[in-house]
Amino acid sequence: MLESFLGQSPKWYKYTMIGFLIFNIFAYFTLGPVITSWIVLGEFIFTLAMALKCYPLQSGGLIAIEVVALGLTSPQMAYHEVHANLEVILLLVFMVAGIYFMKPLLMYIFSKVFTKIKSKLTLSVLFVLISAVLSAFLDALTVTAVLISVAVGFYGVYHKIHSGSSDYDKSGKLDKEELSGETLEEFRAFLRSLVMHGVVGTALGGVCTLVGEPQNLLIGEKMGWEFVEFFMRMTPITIPVLICGVITTVILELTKVFDYGSELPDVARKIIENYTEEENNKRTTKQRYALIVQSVAVVLLIIGLATHVAPVGLIGLALIIFQTAFMGIVEEHQLGKAFEEALPFTGLLVVFFVIVAMIHDQHMFTPIISWVLEQEMSVQPTMFYIANGVLSMISDNVFVATVYIGEVKEIFDAGEITREHFDKLAIAINTGTNLPSVATPNGQAAFLFLLTSALAPLINLSYSKMVKMALPYTIVLGGVGLLCVKYFL
């Protein structure tokens, strides 16, 4: 039984999980539900941190089942959280699968970008800016799914050459010998740093607009702000943060600290360049036609997302139907592969909502909200920003924003604060939940998606590595955001 329990995980991890499950029962009856809930939150974060040892769906899921069994939350409340976030779940199920069918096109474009742009600094800045712009108008999770697809595809090319017996650079030495050892580690570090720049870019762009992050829509709806008004109100904070974020990218690449600055090894570049050229030459008429279909799908995707013609998940489903119909992919087993990547994470996200329901039911954040509202009016926006930032690092930023904006709206409706002060608090809540939450994968769904994706083990991206690489961005984004809230609001 112990052999099968949590599969290939280390024995110490299995014993730790059993210990957690037994301890929580005693904690509930001796320490009470609120303290037990804080302990459970710590345990759940631990399962996320150990994502490379064991996928968190099983270990975190067992804790979530126990949470419901102990009555720390109810199945109805968990369902309510899922219902409130249905759009995010639909996005994961359908949009990620839709992007799966675009992989050949994405690989065609990005292999050109990777091999033609020789400067890693230029490439890094490009990744941050493109991710930021796309996230501002599309959606951070969609952009992250594209980043993961590209990186997995690029790693796949490397692996294919590495496991073959080719000599694409005509050096007289087999490519697999040249691409082993240090070159492989360098290549992993190169991909790791680019992907991290990219996901931070999604946070930089996502905070700016009404559609960038799910909580932005929620805040905009409560405040009655349209797209342009939302953007203009956030500008005093978001634009300085974006500029400082890009400067941070440049500094990290030049100084090569926090695991950034790794270049694409020259030998790898030459081999991959020749390989992609050869693949392009071998492309059949049917494959070229498929690229045209995928290009049309990309245009339709951008128009659909920019005009918000339907919820993102439904646009993703339309994308799957369009591409598969015109590319002739009609067998069920061929369609199944597209859903493999996102469904385990979708399951994990539903487990996460059970923990969020527990936080809600046990009013774990209420004392913090009450304390902030007791402060002087002049310092409230700053305090709201800090409180939202800290809580978003340990919980889900959408949940934190939902709780805070709801409480503040009630106070405004009761006539206790002016509209002008209400506006300031809403801006502080939005920026507070979006910017400092890059510190850990818990806060941003895009970061959690990356950590639990098929890419993470390929490029050795663990929870601790992610936190370390995000640290300089956390300090800059969080710090500059705080100063802007303090002096510009």
Side-chain angles (χ1 to χ4, degrees):
M1 186 178 170
L2 187 66
E3 193 77 19
S4 297
F5 181 66
L6 299 181
Q8 301 296 313
S9 312
K11 273 217 172 112
W12 66 265
Y13 184 76
K14 296 181 182 189
Y15 289 130
T16 305
M17 286 312 303
I18 293 166
F20 283 167
L21 294 168
I22 295 168
F23 175 76
N24 293 342
I25 298 167
F26 289 107
Y28 179 76
F29 290 107
T30 54
L31 303 172
V34 178
I35 294 171
T36 307
S37 298
W38 279 105
I39 293 166
V40 164
L41 182 61
E43 291 168 357
F44 188 74
I45 291 169
F46 171 79
T47 66
L48 296 178
M50 294 289 124
L52 293 184
K53 301 278 182 208
C54 173
Y55 192 73
L57 177 61
Q58 286 72 31
S59 42
L62 287 171
I63 290 171
I65 291 168
E66 188 176 50
V67 161
V68 176
L70 288 173
L72 295 173
T73 190
S74 66
Q76 289 73 28
M77 193 65 207
Y79 177 75
H80 171 73
E81 287 297 334
V82 171
H83 186 260
N85 290 280
L86 185 61
E87 217 171 301
V88 179
I89 291 167
L90 284 175
L91 183 153
L92 281 167
V93 174
F94 296 124
M95 186 56 82
V96 177
I99 287 162
Y100 172 87
F101 293 109
M102 285 183 183
K103 266 187 186 171
L105 179 69
L106 294 171
M107 281 310 302
Y108 177 75
I109 296 167
F110 279 92
S111 56
K112 290 261 188 286
V113 172
F114 278 138
T115 50
K116 293 289 181 276
I117 298 175
K118 301 284 192 281
S119 162
K120 171 73 187 307
L121 178 61
T122 311
L123 207 54
S124 300
V125 172
L126 195 70
F127 258 62
V128 171
L129 290 175
I130 289 174
S131 297
V133 171
L134 288 176
S135 293
F137 293 100
L138 309 182
D139 176 272
L141 267 173
T142 307
V143 177
T144 307
V146 171
L147 282 172
I148 291 168
S149 262
V150 167
V152 167
F154 207 54
Y155 187 89
V157 168
Y158 190 100
H159 182 71
K160 193 174 176 183
I161 301 167
H162 184 251
S163 55
S165 53
S166 54
D167 181 20
Y168 284 105
D169 61 345
K170 308 288 186 282
S171 62
K173 195 176 179 186
L174 284 180
D175 291 336
K176 65 179 175 187
E177 290 170 26
E178 293 181 277
L179 295 181
S180 296
E182 266 181 52
T183 313
L184 178 59
E185 287 313 310
E186 262 182 75
F187 180 71
R188 278 179 172 151
F190 165 79
L191 273 187
R192 193 165 54 230
S193 60
L194 272 186
V195 170
M196 280 303 291
H197 286 313
V199 286
V200 169
T202 65
L204 285 169
V207 66
C208 296
T209 64
L210 188 64
V211 295
E213 293 277 354
Q215 69 265 35
N216 301 18
L217 265 173
L218 186 97
I219 292 167
E221 192 185 317
K222 287 259 196 288
M223 304 304 294
W225 292 340
E226 291 302 319
F227 191 92
V228 176
E229 188 182 358
F230 186 97
F231 177 76
M232 294 312 292
R233 285 188 181 274
M234 296 300 155
T235 302
I237 293 137
T238 54
I239 299 304
V241 167
L242 178 62
I243 293 164
C244 293
V246 174
I247 293 168
T248 307
T249 305
V250 173
I251 292 167
L252 287 171
E253 283 300 320
L254 292 176
T255 55
K256 299 184 189 301
V257 290
F258 291 97
D259 207 28
Y260 289 101
S262 299
E263 302 277 348
L264 177 61
D266 282 334
V267 61
R269 183 194 304 279
K270 197 155 194 291
I271 290 168
I272 290 168
E273 210 166 27
N274 293 346
Y275 169 81
T276 48
E277 203 174 304
E278 197 171 297
E279 287 296 300
N280 287 345
N281 295 335
K282 284 197 298 193
R283 197 168 272 121
T284 63
T285 312
K286 192 177 179 182
Q287 287 170 328
R288 287 175 200 277
Y289 164 73
L291 285 182
I292 295 166
V293 172
Q294 289 156 31
S295 304
V296 174
V298 168
V299 174
L300 292 174
L301 170 66
I302 292 167
I303 293 168
L305 289 171
T307 56
H308 296 279
V309 71
V312 183
L314 297 184
I315 294 172
L317 179 58
L319 208 64
I320 294 168
I321 295 165
F322 174 81
Q323 290 180 100
T324 53
F326 283 94
M327 291 194 296
I329 301 168
V330 290
E331 283 84 14
E332 191 182 352
H333 66 91
Q334 283 181 299
L335 293 169
K337 287 183 188 136
F339 292 91
E340 279 174 13
E341 198 167 302
L343 281 180
F345 179 69
T346 310
L348 174 61
L349 204 62
V350 173
V351 166
F352 189 52
F353 292 142
V354 176
I355 304 298
V356 170
M358 175 194 76
I359 294 170
H360 191 277
D361 274 348
Q362 299 303 323
H363 309 289
M364 290 165 69
F365 294 165
T366 307
I368 304 164
I369 298 170
S370 307
W371 177 75
V372 171
L373 289 168
E374 284 165 12
Q375 305 303 307
E376 279 181 47
M377 283 280 202
S378 58
V379 297
Q380 272 187 18
T382 312
M383 297 311 292
F384 261 83
Y385 178 89
I386 294 168
N388 276 274
V390 172
L391 293 177
S392 292
M393 290 178 193
I394 58 169
S395 178
D396 170 43
N397 59 0
V398 180
F399 166 71
V400 175
T402 308
V403 172
Y404 268 82
I405 198 72
E407 295 275 342
V408 175
K409 180 86 162 65
E410 278 177 31
I411 293 160
F412 171 70
D413 290 341
E416 291 174 36
I417 55 173
T418 62
R419 174 71 203 198
E420 188 191 355
H421 190 62
F422 184 32
D423 288 348
K424 285 181 181 178
L425 292 182
I427 295 166
I429 290 168
N430 185 60
T431 50
T433 50
N434 272 304
L435 297 172
S437 58
V438 300
T440 67
N442 312 19
Q444 295 260 3
F447 280 55
L448 189 60
F449 186 34
L450 173 62
L451 177 71
T452 56
S453 70
L455 177 67
L458 300 180
I459 58 173
N460 293 342
L461 185 63
S462 63
Y463 188 99
S464 54
K465 177 84 78 177
M466 212 167 183
V467 170
K468 178 192 165 188
M469 292 181 81
L471 183 62
Y473 281 115
T474 308
I475 294 165
V476 173
L477 270 57
V480 173
L482 179 63
L483 291 172
C484 292
V485 168
K486 191 173 168 66
Y487 295 110
F488 297 158
L489 267 193

